[in-house]
């Protein structure tokens, strides 16, 4: 039986990054994935994810996303893949909305270049948008998007090139920890290693015992009235309305035929089953998205092109979980704002798996913050 230094369970965004960084440090790595490479069954698909630095969720994320930018550049250089595109970013809402106040606080605390725009300035500079008179925005140049499928594929390619054994269509049935290491059993056999990294995405609730919620999330693509040209040179955006309902959107990143992507943030409802996710996009969902888009963006919705369902897996406070105990490192609860951190989380997971500690600030992600549970088992 082959013995590895580290086994990585789950080769989506975070797992593929962990396999990449562990292999780059010369460790013997086995990666196990229940689906194929860069698949569309979890939370790392849909063509684009926003990346931004003026971080409304918590200024504590800014040092991590700053490092992530460096590592995205390194990954592009190493693979030649087109992964990160800077477009600028707008964070819109009322002056006292968490989207605006949080982005402004993060930008101010970390000295990030930004602008504060009123409704007239928003309309003047971004005529695709139709803000109400009380809407304001924080704008930053260093925002943009990353391509999730391409990123996962790039990380897997490097890990494989560096000697990692990557097994697809091979779900783990169980794992165990003993004095000398860990063992993972699949239908094909049992594998041994010194350490285990578990990055299970939407399957985390049933594997970790942590208070995680899985939500179905729908992404939509529309062909704007008059064509996509006004959206070719366009910022990404997050927009909270007066009710607290938020949307997010992208430029036309795939040319004239690709349409414009837009979505509600956390509107799908809790309780999704990752093994039986409803992947059909229903007419009433399209109608709700079209109504909101039509209110805020004058040339949308235009014509509905397509939709795609994925999953958000979140903690009660919407912060991540990254922790190590008894040779097992667990990483989960990233959805809604996690993909931009993929390469730095991979670096962190490699640190924790090998050294048991990391230089990165991850105290915010300790699962001990949940009073009903301790560290991951």
């Amino acid at each position: 039986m082959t013995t590895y230094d580290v086994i990585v369970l789950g080769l989506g965004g975070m797992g593929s990054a962990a396999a990449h960084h562990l292999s780059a440090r010369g460790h013997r790595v086995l990666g196990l994935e229940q689906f194929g490479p860069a698949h569309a069954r979890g939370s790392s698909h849909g063509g684009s994810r926003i990346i931004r630095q003026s971080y409304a969720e918590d200024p504590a994320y800014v040092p991590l996303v700053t490092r992530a930018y460096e590592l995205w550049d390194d990954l592009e250089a190493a693979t030649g893949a087109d992964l990160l595109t800077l477009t600028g970013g707008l964070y819109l809402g009322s002056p006292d909305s968490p989207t605006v106040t949080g982005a402004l606080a993060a930008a101010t605390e970390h000295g990030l270049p930004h602008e504060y725009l009123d409704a007239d300035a928003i309309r003047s500079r971004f005529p695709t948008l139709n803000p109400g008179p009380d809407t304001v925005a924080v704008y930053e140049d260093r925002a943009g998007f990353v391509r999730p499928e391409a990123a996962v594929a790039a990380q897997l390619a490097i890990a494989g090139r560096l000697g990692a054994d990557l097994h697809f269509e091979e779900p783990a049935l169980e794992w165990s920890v003993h004095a000398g290491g860990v063992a993972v059993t699949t239908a094909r056999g049992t594998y041994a290693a010194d350490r285990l990294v578990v990055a299970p995405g939407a399957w985390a609730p049933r594997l970790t015992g942590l208070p995680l919620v899985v939500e179905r999330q729908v992404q939509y693509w529309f062909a704007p009235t008059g064509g996509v040209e006004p959206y070719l040179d366009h910022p990404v955006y997050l927009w909270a309305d007066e009710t607290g309902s938020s949307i997010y959107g992208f430029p036309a990143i795939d040319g004239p035929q690709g349409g414009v992507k837009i979505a509600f943030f956390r509107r799908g409802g809790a309780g999704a089953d990752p093994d039986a996710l409803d992947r059909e996009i229903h007419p009433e969902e399209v109608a709700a998205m079209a109504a909101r888009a039509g209110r805020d963006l004058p040339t949308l919705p235009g014509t509905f092109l397509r939709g795609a369902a994925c999953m958000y897996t979140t903690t009660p406070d919407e912060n991540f979980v990254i922790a190590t105990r008894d040779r097992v490192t667990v990483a989960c609860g990233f959805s809604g704002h996690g993909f931009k951190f993929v390469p730095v989380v991979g670096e962190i997971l490699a640190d924790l798996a090998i050294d048991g500690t990391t230089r990165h600030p991850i105290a915010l992600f300790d699962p001990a913050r949940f009073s009903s549970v301790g560290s991951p088992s």
Side-chain angles (χ1 to χ4, degrees):
M1 178 173 60
T2 302
T3 299
Y4 296 90
D5 295 324
V6 184
I7 296 173
V8 179
L9 295 188
L11 295 175
M14 304 308 176
S16 64
H20 165 205
H21 282 276
L22 287 161
S23 300
R25 298 181 192 186
H27 298 293
R28 295 168 298 169
V29 176
L30 170 64
L32 294 173
E33 168 58 53
Q34 64 177 323
F35 303 116
H39 60 81
R41 300 288 298 277
S43 303
S44 297
H45 61 280
S48 58
R49 294 290 187 275
I50 289 175
I51 187 167
R52 52 198 165 89
Q53 293 183 327
S54 299
Y55 220 69
E57 287 80 353
D58 194 310
Y61 284 93
V62 174
L64 293 175
V65 78
T66 300
R67 176 58 176 160
Y69 272 76
E70 297 172 351
L71 292 171
W72 283 119
D73 288 343
D74 291 347
L75 187 58
E76 285 189 320
T79 63
D82 178 13
L83 304 177
L84 169 62
T85 302
L86 298 183
T87 63
L90 275 172
Y91 319 121
L92 304 100
S94 65
D96 59 352
S97 68
T99 297
V100 171
T101 60
L104 193 60
T108 302
E109 179 174 331
H110 291 278
L112 303 173
H114 66 282
E115 299 175 70
Y116 190 80
L117 307 177
D118 63 16
D120 289 339
I122 296 167
R123 284 192 214 93
S124 175
R125 289 179 56 177
F126 307 103
T128 55
L129 307 181
N130 183 36
D134 297 327
T135 299
V136 299
V138 177
Y139 175 80
E140 65 164 318
D141 282 330
R142 290 281 294 165
F145 64 89
V146 293
R147 294 184 177 271
E149 294 95 336
V152 172
Q155 292 176 140
L156 293 174
I158 292 180
R161 190 167 70 228
L162 294 173
D165 290 338
L166 305 176
H167 295 193
F168 300 100
E169 307 293 343
E170 188 174 353
L173 302 178
E174 62 179 5
W175 77 74
S176 60
V177 181
H178 51 83
V182 301
V184 177
T185 299
T186 75
R188 300 180 193 174
T190 297
Y191 306 96
D194 294 330
R195 305 281 177 175
L196 176 65
V197 172
V198 182
W203 287 262
R206 66 183 65 168
L207 295 176
T208 66
L210 293 168
L212 298 156
V213 172
V214 179
E215 304 173 34
R216 176 177 172 273
Q217 173 75 10
V218 179
Q219 305 162 80
Y220 305 84
W221 286 261
F222 292 92
T225 301
V228 300
E229 284 72 18
Y231 293 90
L232 294 175
D233 181 15
H234 195 278
V236 297
Y237 57 90
L238 309 174
W239 195 335
D241 70 8
E242 64 280 359
T243 70
S245 172
S246 295
I247 59 172
Y248 62 95
F250 297 83
I253 69 175
D254 293 318
Q257 304 306 313
V260 174
K261 179 181 171 183
I262 188 171
F264 285 108
F265 178 67
R266 300 197 70 175
R267 187 183 172 100
D273 180 350
D275 290 321
L277 184 71
D278 178 7
R279 297 187 181 277
E280 181 181 354
I281 311 305
H282 302 281
E284 63 270 20
E285 295 176 317
V286 177
M289 186 76 261
R292 176 64 184 274
R295 186 188 72 182
D296 293 337
L297 297 98
T299 62
L300 288 180
T303 302
F304 175 65
L305 298 177
R306 66 189 186 280
C310 67
M311 290 173 284
Y312 277 5
T313 306
T314 55
T315 62
D317 60 10
E318 298 182 27
N319 293 315
F320 310 154
V321 169
I322 303 176
T324 296
R325 176 183 174 185
D326 296 337
R327 298 180 179 267
V328 179
T329 300
V330 172
C332 57
F334 294 99
S335 295
H337 64 120
F339 198 89
K340 64 184 70 63
F341 296 96
V342 156
V344 71
V345 170
E347 190 171 65
I348 291 166
L349 296 178
D351 291 344
L352 294 176
I354 301 306
D355 303 322
T357 188
T358 181
R359 66 182 175 84
H360 293 292
I362 62 169
L364 187 64
F365 312 140
D366 188 342
R369 69 188 188 270
F370 306 121
S371 59
S372 60
V373 292
S375 298
S377 56

